[in-house]
Structure formats: C-alpha cells, structure tokens
C-alpha cells in the first residue's frame, strides 16, 4: 500500500507504538475506531554510567491537562468542523462511485460486446473491495494513526479509478475498479474514529450524522448522478467514473492540510519530540497483532452466531438497495418507458425514507433508551437499542410488496415510486438500531470487530445482488420476482424480536466477552 507521501521527521518507515490500553469508540460505522485510554510508556531515566543498571520508570503518557492544545477536542470549532467534513464527504464520494457506473452499464455492453453480468463486474468488484480495505487499514491505523490512512487511500482511489476510466480494455477496467475499491475504502475503518477524536460524546452523534448516512446516500443517489453526467457528456460511460472523482476533488486538498487526530499517535510523536525513550514491541509481535486483528472479524462472520445473524439481517436489507440498480431500470423501463435519468429520480423516495429513519431512531432514543439509562444508572441492556428495528422491520416488506405488485401501465408511475419511502425508512431504522446493538453488546473489547464483520457481510452480499437480479425478474416476472424478495424480508421480521426477547441468553452463549447486564 506504499504511495508517495511526505514523512515528517517524527515519522518512521515502521513506527513502533507505545504499549497502551486501547478503548474502542462506541461508534457503529467505525470498525477500527481505536481510542487510547490511560496510555502507558516505559521511559528510561537519565543516562547511567557504563556497566551500571539503568533505572526504569513507568510514567503516564496522557494529555498534560484538560486544556492541552494538542488534544483535538480543544481545537477551534472551525478546525474540528473541517476535519469532520473530510470523512463524511469522502465516504459519500466513495460510495457514490459504486452506483454511478450503473447508468453506463448498457454502454459498456455495447462497446465491449459483453453480457450484462460481465458489464456489471466493475460495479460488483469495486464493492467487494470494501470488504477488504477496512480489514487491512483497521490494524494499520494503530501503527500509523488515522491521518496516514487518508493520505494513502485517497491517492490509491484516484490513481486506480483514473486508470480504469482511461482504459479501453475491459480486463483493465475490471481489475483497476477492484483495486480502487480495496485501496480507497480503508477510510471507512477510521472515519467515525476521527469524529469521536474531535468531539465530546454529546456532540459526536449530531456531527457524525452525515457520515453515518453516507454509505446509504451514496449508492442511492449514484444512479441519478451517473445518469445525468453521462447524458451531459455525450453518453460516454467513462464519466460515470470521473464524476465521483470530481466530488472528491476538494477532499484531496483538504487531506493535505489534515492533522493527526488519534490520541495514541499524537502522544507517541510528542513523547519522541521530547526525547523520551519508549519501550517498543518487536516487529514480529506487531505483525502477529496485525494478522489477528484482520482475521478476527472474519472469525466472527463464521463462528459467532449473534454477530453473524444480526449482520445477515442488516446485510440483506442493505443489499436490496443494490438490487434496485437492476430492478428499477427493468421495471420502470419496461412498464413506464423511463430513461436512465428518470429512473435515477425514482431513488429520491428512498432518500426521503432515510431521513425519516433518522427521526425515528432519535425518537426511540429519547423516549425509550434514555429513560432506561436513568432508571438503571447507566447499566442499560443492549436490547433497548432495538426499538427502532422492531418498528422498521415491518416497513421493509411493506415497501417491497408495494413495489412488487403496483407497477402496471394503468397505474400512475408515482405510486410504485412511493414504495421506496417505507422501504428506505425501514432499512436505515433497522440498520442504525442493529449497529448500536452490536456496539453495546460487544463493548470496547470486541465491538470494532463485530461491526467490521457486519461490513464484510453487508458489502459482500451487496456486491452479488446486481449480478443476478435481472435474471430473476426475467424468469419470474415483475410481480413474483419482487414478491420473492418481500417474502424473504417477511421471514426476517422475527430477527430483531428474537434478540429483543432472548438477547441476554444469547449473549451468555457468545464465544466473546459481551455485556453482562
């Protein structure tokens, strides 16, 4: 992952971190959100005479006080907003790149004379990269801090996407779209951590709202953005790749001005500047931790039923958005003769549903979760995070059945379009609720791995849906194809209810340390 960047005098080719006790931030979108707490470093005393023993002291490596100017939470507000906007806009541009290419798929089919499934590979493999990039960058950020992830991921994303867009060979297009997904998606592992570094807990939720929405807004608005860009530039599919890069252009400059926000990294570099000799781990020990951190989310995907079932539930709901990449074009094109731009506009109803989901989650947080926190003196069972999912799980099949049976020539086009509203409402309400549940269940020790496992399953399933969705609609027809996915959503309604009812018992059976109350 080596890319050209400037290393300061305090940076090393392989930085060796101080021994520290790390606490995971309670943020659902942050598989690698690592926050140093009560960091400790072994510091040697003044040089001793030759052949004599050196006295070794253990001192606390922490902020100098509540007003420490190096603490990102003490930065001016404009500076904190600037650093908070970077992961939010980056995540939006990154995920928009998933679906802007959908509008160019028919043009790729014509230029390269390939089937639709092959033409969709640049979309699916780009998404597969999102399963890999965060797994690599999550432990990597422990060594180099958060800023280095931005400094490496952005140039890799731009370079690989530029090669893909400039190529006239399908194999190069597919390969470099995959590499762009892998190389650019690591920011998803540190974005929420950046926000939690900058803001107090009471403010971080509000500030991070757009960052939380980005993985949903990007793929949903991508077909609309891609359709209009391609139409504007002479039906050239390559502009479906250039478009998100244009969105990300200001971020390239902003990242150059970015400062480190990770507490452990800031304290490590400051200790070096002050001349402290830090007790360091061997490279082999660090690599062992690196490998373990990468494999732990994969282990949870397979061997941890609680995390796996919740992840499959949210992944299926999320993947239905990706199914719309094919089904919207097929349904609205064949029934209402919509072009690509008109199809893209149909996603606006889903976005409106997302906004209602935010309101719903906030409503249950205020009316249910916070009173329970007061009643239990902060010892709230994680199941109280599931109220939003208990509500949203009904809306998802309602929206899908609506979308399955309403599209007919004699029915106005707006009626099936409005089906996206309850669907989007239910999907995001359930997602926010389930992510909060995973974080509260696995707490500081394992929550980052649980959320990372969710991301692996979510993007893997999302990458696969566009490859077969059209075939399902062609074989079953519009009504029964849509009903098939709606029936699966009905079968999944009990998932949040089972966890709400039997969650404590299921947590006791976990292979990992979980919340005990």
């Amino acid at each position: 992952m080596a890319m050209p960047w400037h290393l300061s005098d305090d940076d090393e080719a392989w930085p060796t971190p101080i021994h520290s006790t790390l606490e995971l931030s309670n943020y659902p979108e942050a598989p690698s959100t690592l926050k140093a707490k009560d960091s400790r470093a072994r510091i040697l005393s003044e040089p001793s005479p030759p052949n004599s023993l050196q006295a070794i002291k253990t001192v606390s490596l922490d902020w100098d006080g509540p007003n420490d100017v190096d603490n990102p939470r003490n930065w001016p507000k404009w500076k904190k907003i600037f650093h908070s906007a970077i992961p939010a806009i980056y995540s939006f541009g990154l995920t928009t790149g998933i679906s802007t290419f959908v509008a160019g798929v028919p043009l790729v089919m014509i230029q390269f004379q390939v089937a639709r499934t092959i033409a969709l590979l640049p979309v699916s493999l780009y998404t597969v990269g999102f399963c890999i990039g965060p797994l690599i960058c999550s432990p990597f950020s422990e060594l180099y801090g958060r800023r280095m992830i931005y400094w490496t991921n952005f140039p890799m994303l731009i370079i690989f996407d530029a090669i893909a867009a400039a190529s006239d060979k399908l194999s190069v297009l597919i390969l470099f779209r995959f590499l762009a997904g892998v190389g650019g998606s690591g920011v998803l592992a540190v974005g929420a951590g950046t926000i939690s570094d900058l803001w107090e807990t009471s403010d971080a939720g509000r500030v991070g709202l757009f960052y939380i929405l980005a993985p949903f807004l990007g793929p949903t608005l991508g077909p609309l953005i891609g359709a209009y860009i391609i139409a504007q530039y002479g039906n050239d599919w390559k502009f479906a790749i250039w478009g998100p890069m244009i969105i990300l252009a200001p971020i390239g400059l902003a990242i150059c001005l970015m400062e480190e926000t990770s507490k452990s990294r800031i304290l490590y570099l400051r200790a070096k500047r002050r001349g402290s000799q830090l007790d360091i781990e061997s490279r082999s020990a660090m690599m062992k931790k690196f490998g373990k951190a990468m494999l732990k989310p994969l282990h949870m995907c397979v061997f941890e039923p609680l995390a796996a079932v919740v992840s499959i539930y949210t992944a299926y709901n999320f993947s239905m958005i990706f199914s719309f990449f094919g089904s919207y074009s097929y349904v609205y094109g064949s029934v209402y003769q919509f072009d690509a731009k008109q199809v893209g506009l149909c996603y606006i109803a889903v976005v409106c549903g997302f906004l209602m989901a935010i309101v719903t989650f906030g409503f249950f947080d205020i009316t249910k979760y916070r009173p329970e926190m007061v009643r239990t003196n902060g010892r709230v069972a994680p199941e109280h995070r599931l109220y939003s999912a208990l509500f949203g799980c009904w809306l998802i099949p309602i929206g899908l059945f609506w979308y399955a049976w309403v599209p007919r020539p004699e029915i106005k086009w707006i009626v099936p379009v409005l089906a996206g509203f309850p669907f989007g409402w239910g999907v995001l309400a359930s997602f926010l609720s389930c992510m909060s549940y995973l974080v509260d269940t696995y707490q500081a020790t394992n929550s980052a791995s649980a959320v990372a496992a969710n991301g692996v399953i979510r993007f893997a399933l999302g990458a696969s849906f566009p490859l077969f969705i059209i075939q399902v609609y062609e074989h079953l027809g519009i009504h029964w194809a849509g009903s098939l996915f709606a029936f699966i959503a009905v079968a999944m309604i009990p998932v949040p209810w089972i966890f709400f009812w039997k969650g404590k018992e299921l947590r006791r059976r976990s292979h990992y340390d979980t919340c005990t109350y």
Side-chain angles (χ1 to χ4, degrees):
M1 295 179 66
M3 294 296 297
W5 63 75
H6 173 70
L7 294 176
S8 67
D9 294 336
D10 293 320
D11 292 321
E12 296 177 339
W14 187 270
T16 45
I18 56 176
H19 287 303
S20 61
T21 303
L22 296 173
E23 178 183 12
L24 293 166
S25 170
N26 291 336
Y27 261 82
E29 298 304 300
S32 70
T33 311
L34 295 173
K35 190 177 180 181
K37 183 179 181 182
D38 191 27
S39 300
R40 303 280 176 179
R42 292 169 56 86
I43 301 181
L44 299 178
S45 64
E46 294 296 324
S48 303
N51 301 321
S52 68
L53 293 176
Q54 290 180 313
I56 298 178
K57 298 185 294 183
T58 301
V59 300
S60 176
L61 191 60
D62 206 342
W63 303 123
D64 292 338
N67 298 319
D68 193 325
V69 294
D70 289 333
N71 186 346
R73 293 188 178 184
N74 293 327
W75 290 353
K77 182 167 288 187
W78 68 266
K79 190 174 181 180
K80 294 198 290 184
I81 293 174
F82 171 78
H83 281 74
S84 300
I86 291 175
I89 299 174
Y90 185 102
S91 298
F92 176 73
L94 177 74
T95 55
T96 299
I98 295 174
S99 54
T100 52
F101 194 86
V102 171
V105 166
L107 301 172
V108 173
M109 294 170 62
I110 294 172
Q111 177 173 335
F112 297 106
Q113 295 297 299
V114 294
R116 180 180 177 84
T117 302
I118 302 300
L120 278 167
L121 287 178
V123 176
S124 292
L125 290 181
Y126 179 78
T127 309
V128 168
F130 287 30
C131 303
I132 303 172
L135 290 181
I136 298 173
C137 290
S138 174
F140 201 79
S141 65
E142 285 191 58
L143 302 177
Y144 290 98
R146 307 197 202 283
R147 181 175 60 174
M148 192 61 70
I149 303 300
Y150 294 93
W151 282 1
T152 55
N153 278 222
F154 180 81
M156 282 193 287
L157 175 65
I158 297 301
I159 291 171
F160 292 146
D161 256 348
I163 294 173
S167 174
D168 288 320
K169 290 185 177 181
L170 182 61
S171 58
V172 175
L173 169 63
I174 294 172
L175 173 62
F176 279 91
R177 280 285 286 175
F178 169 70
L179 293 177
V182 174
S185 61
V187 169
L188 298 177
V190 298
T194 301
I195 294 172
S196 65
D197 289 339
L198 295 163
W199 303 91
E200 299 294 339
T201 304
S202 57
D203 299 322
R206 292 191 298 271
V207 174
L209 179 62
F210 184 70
Y211 174 77
I212 295 171
L213 281 173
F216 289 86
L217 289 178
T220 306
L221 293 176
L224 174 62
I225 296 171
Y228 274 84
I229 289 178
I230 290 174
Q232 182 69 29
Y233 291 96
N235 288 325
D236 187 349
W237 60 264
K238 295 185 177 185
F239 282 92
I241 300 177
W242 295 118
M245 295 169 66
I246 295 172
I247 295 174
L248 290 170
I251 297 301
L253 177 61
I255 288 175
C256 295
L257 304 174
M258 193 175 191
E259 297 183 23
E260 182 59 70
T261 64
S262 171
K263 179 180 179 180
S264 59
R265 182 65 177 169
I266 292 172
L267 294 176
Y268 169 77
L269 294 177
R270 185 166 74 176
K272 287 188 63 179
R273 287 196 301 269
R274 292 175 175 177
S276 302
Q277 298 182 27
L278 305 179
D279 182 29
I280 59 176
E281 293 181 304
S282 66
R283 182 173 300 184
S284 60
M286 286 192 294
M287 291 304 297
K288 185 177 181 179
K289 289 184 177 180
F290 188 97
K292 184 177 180 181
M294 287 182 60
L295 294 176
K296 189 175 181 181
L298 300 178
H299 182 271
M300 297 185 84
C301 288
V302 179
F303 299 106
E304 178 63 7
L306 192 154
V309 172
V310 172
S311 297
I312 291 171
Y313 173 70
T314 57
Y316 176 76
N317 297 337
F318 181 76
S319 299
M320 287 310 302
I321 300 173
F322 284 68
S323 76
F324 291 165
F325 297 164
S327 68
Y328 266 34
S329 299
Y330 184 84
V331 171
Y332 294 112
S334 59
V335 178
Y336 299 104
Q337 288 73 53
F338 278 13
D339 60 25
K341 292 190 289 185
Q342 291 170 316
V343 169
L345 291 169
C346 295
Y347 288 89
I348 293 177
V350 181
V351 174
C352 293
F354 291 162
L355 300 179
M356 279 302 301
I358 296 294
V359 175
T360 301
F361 184 76
F363 171 78
F364 283 116
D365 182 69
I366 293 172
T367 61
K368 293 289 187 180
Y369 186 79
R370 293 187 185 181
E372 185 67 18
M373 179 176 287
V374 173
R375 188 185 69 82
T376 61
N377 195 27
R379 294 174 61 84
V380 187
E383 287 71 34
H384 288 280
R385 288 290 194 181
L386 291 173
Y387 291 113
S388 187
L390 300 180
F391 172 78
C393 67
W394 302 100
L395 296 176
I396 298 168
I398 288 173
L400 292 177
F401 275 121
W402 183 347
Y403 171 61
W405 288 98
V406 169
R408 303 173 189 271
E410 63 271 18
I411 298 178
K412 191 72 174 176
W413 60 267
I414 189 63
V415 181
V417 167
L418 289 175
F421 179 75
F423 170 78
W425 188 353
V427 165
L428 187 57
S430 297
F431 176 82
L432 293 174
S433 197
C434 290
M435 290 299 98
S436 299
Y437 175 70
L438 286 177
V439 170
D440 285 4
T441 294
Y442 289 99
Q443 299 188 318
T445 308
N446 299 304
S447 62
S449 297
V451 174
N454 182 277
V456 171
I457 296 175
R458 192 168 75 247
F459 284 112
L461 204 58
S464 65
F465 265 60
L467 297 176
F468 63 79
I469 198 72
I470 292 295
Q471 293 89 319
V472 174
Y473 272 79
E474 288 176 343
H475 283 82
L476 298 181
I478 291 174
H479 305 312
W480 285 108
S483 296
L484 172 64
F485 298 110
F487 280 124
I488 296 174
V490 169
M492 289 190 169
I493 287 176
V495 171
W497 290 91
I498 291 173
F499 281 100
F500 185 78
W501 178 39
K502 292 289 186 180
K504 188 171 184 179
E505 181 179 341
L506 295 171
R507 283 187 275 121
R508 282 199 296 263
R509 298 181 180 181
S510 173
H511 298 295
Y512 294 86
D513 293 334
T514 60
C515 178
T516 57
Y517 45 81

